[in-house]
Amino acid sequence: GSSSFIANMIAGYSITYRRAFRLGDFVQIGDVRGVVSAVRLQVTHVRTIKNEEIIVPNSTILNAAVTNYTTLAQSSGLILHTTVGIGYETPWRQVEAMLLEAARRTPGLMTDRPPFVLHLQLGDFCVTYELNVYCADPLKMRATYTDLHRHILDVFNEYGVQIMTPAYEGDPEVPKVVPKEQWYLAPATLEGASDRGSANP
């Protein structure tokens, strides 16, 4: 017990000098992701996006990789990314244009740093595209991802292009897209549709 007490105390001093994070930073320590709410001599308190308070021993932090999403977010932007698999019959230029259109429709992204698309893989059945966008507020990461995915679904449905991930077995007789007139089938309503505004963090 005394050895772990001393280890945590030394780690607490080391964390102060490492400056890996500050109060209010959005970080990931091992499997724990959230906002640093308190840094004490023995432990660090992290509040998750589910409003859970997790107490992490400082010795654990000292021996773990710490990802700080806040440090460069406002100056350089935090890059959020998501992938889609699209069939070879769809022109890659069209896919890029649709992904960039989805990014343009997504609120809360940085306007001075344009989104970009990478071609990750020429797979057996589809091409894997990665859309990258810049976000200045890591606390809204989950909400931004939600809005981005909603707009990707809408744009691809509008142009009748089928998203083939996560698995592909064969070409269906009818493309798996949702026509616009069916976007608000019951119990969804146009007035209460959450895609008219940004999702809550």
Side-chain angles (χ1 to χ4, degrees):
S2 62
S3 62
S4 95
F5 175 86
I6 294 172
N8 283 324
M9 186 170 63
I10 294 174
Y13 286 117
S14 299
I15 288 172
T16 301
Y17 290 105
R18 282 177 64 187
R19 297 181 180 177
F21 48 76
R22 297 177 298 178
L23 289 178
D25 282 357
F26 188 67
V27 301
Q28 179 161 336
I29 305 168
D31 295 330
V32 177
R33 178 187 290 184
V35 178
V36 177
S37 57
V39 180
R40 308 192 188 283
L41 193 58
Q42 292 284 319
V43 298
T44 295
H45 296 247
V46 177
R47 180 172 55 84
T48 72
I49 59 174
K50 300 298 185 182
N51 212 25
E52 305 159 327
E53 184 179 51
I54 299 180
I55 300 174
V56 184
N58 286 336
S59 59
T60 300
I61 299 174
L62 191 62
N63 295 312
V66 177
T67 303
N68 192 325
Y69 297 96
T70 303
T71 305
L72 300 176
Q74 294 187 349
S75 59
S76 303
L78 176 66
I79 298 180
L80 308 183
H81 59 279
T82 190
T83 61
V84 294
I86 308 298
Y88 282 93
E89 71 279 3
T90 306
W92 65 263
R93 294 174 180 84
Q94 181 188 22
V95 177
E96 283 198 6
M98 289 190 294
L99 289 172
L100 294 176
E101 173 61 24
R104 280 190 287 270
R105 296 184 186 183
T106 303
L109 300 181
M110 298 179 70
T111 56
D112 58 335
R113 292 183 175 270
F116 60 93
V117 178
L118 299 177
H119 296 205
L120 294 187
Q121 184 180 12
L122 301 178
D124 293 336
F125 305 106
C126 65
V127 182
T128 302
Y129 301 85
E130 182 184 78
L131 173 61
N132 296 265
V133 298
Y134 288 88
C135 172
D137 188 352
L139 294 179
K140 295 182 179 179
M141 185 190 309
R142 287 290 184 92
T144 302
Y145 268 125
T146 296
D147 285 334
L148 184 62
H149 290 153
R150 286 172 177 168
H151 290 301
I152 289 174
L153 291 172
D154 283 350
V155 171
F156 278 75
N157 279 323
E158 287 173 17
Y159 288 94
V161 176
Q162 179 174 314
I163 299 177
M164 301 170 64
T165 50
Y168 175 87
E169 294 181 357
D171 292 323
E173 295 182 3
V174 179
K176 298 297 183 180
V177 297
V178 181
K180 192 170 185 177
E181 60 271 15
Q182 296 181 16
W183 284 7
Y184 300 100
L185 292 178
T189 60
L190 181 61
E191 292 76 13
S194 57
D195 62 347
R196 301 186 64 181
S198 176
N200 291 323

